[in-house]
Amino acid sequence: DMITRGMLKEYLKYIVPTMITFTLGGVYSIIDGVFVGHAVGDAGLAGINVAFPLVAFIMAVGTGVGMGGGVISSIARGAGDEAKSRRAVGTTFTLLLLAALPVMALLLFAAEPICRLLGGQGGTLEQAVAYTSVIAWGVPFQIFVTGCTPLIRNQGRVGFAMAVQVFAGLMNVALDYVFVMLFGWGTAGA
């Protein structure tokens, strides 16, 4: 069968906001890097780059759990089983919170050896550990937000899912300005 104009329109209705959402998720550390680069210099920017794989890991955990739960929920809803669909969403929320705890603990208690393994040395290592130590406290929030985005999107609310990510991105810029530039907290402020 051929793809119809209506199918293409429906596809684009989902894919464009999803692409924007994922792009904005990846921009957070870049924005952090811009502020830290201006306030701290090369060591701070290098520290954020060393820690970036950890940020990507946090987002991957949330997205993976959220997408899995979203698929199960969508299949159940498509089969007409709304109760199973709601259970899948509830189970996904629980799994997101449970997944956040070991990731948070890992980053809180092993930031230095992990950042050293990722190539951090000297001042760069210090900056990476400062960044990771603060990021660790936000792990539950970050995993929950990235995990809920696919659930929201699968409910047909792609614009809302994108708006949440845009709001989070704007908050990141505003808070980076306040904590890094105004308060002078450097890499930890980002």
Side-chain angles (χ1 to χ4, degrees):
D1 288 80
M2 293 185 61
I3 297 175
T4 65
R5 186 174 291 249
M7 291 167 66
L8 182 60
K9 185 177 176 183
E10 186 72 15
Y11 179 74
L12 291 175
K13 178 181 131 184
Y14 281 89
I15 196 66
V16 171
T18 301
M19 288 171 49
I20 292 169
T21 300
F22 275 107
T23 301
L24 290 173
V27 169
Y28 291 154
S29 287
I30 294 170
I31 297 297
D32 289 349
V34 169
F35 281 98
V36 168
H38 284 291
V40 178
D42 293 345
L45 183 57
I48 287 179
N49 285 325
V50 166
F52 180 75
L54 300 173
V55 174
F57 175 69
I58 294 165
M59 291 177 8
V61 169
T63 301
V65 172
M67 282 186 173
V71 168
I72 293 168
S73 173
S74 293
I75 290 170
R77 195 176 341 88
D81 192 345
E82 287 297 322
K84 183 176 180 181
S85 177
R86 283 191 302 276
R87 276 194 317 274
V89 170
T91 301
T92 303
F93 288 158
T94 302
L95 288 174
L96 288 168
L97 293 174
L98 290 175
L101 298 176
V103 173
M104 182 179 176
L106 178 71
L107 296 183
L108 283 173
F109 298 113
E112 185 171 343
I114 292 171
C115 289
R116 188 181 310 278
L117 183 67
L118 292 171
Q121 300 174 23
T124 300
L125 178 62
E126 286 177 33
Q127 297 297 321
V129 170
Y131 185 72
T132 303
S133 297
V134 174
I135 291 289
W137 291 104
V139 164
F141 175 74
Q142 186 67 32
I143 284 180
F144 196 75
V145 168
T146 57
C148 286
T149 300
L151 295 173
I152 295 167
R153 193 174 45 248
N154 286 4
Q155 298 290 324
R157 304 193 60 204
V158 291
F160 181 70
M162 184 181 73
V164 167
Q165 203 71 12
V166 168
F167 176 74
L170 293 174
M171 288 301 299
N172 185 46
V173 171
L175 293 175
D176 273 355
Y177 177 75
V178 169
F179 294 137
V180 176
M181 304 304 275
L182 294 181
F183 290 0
W185 292 353
T187 309

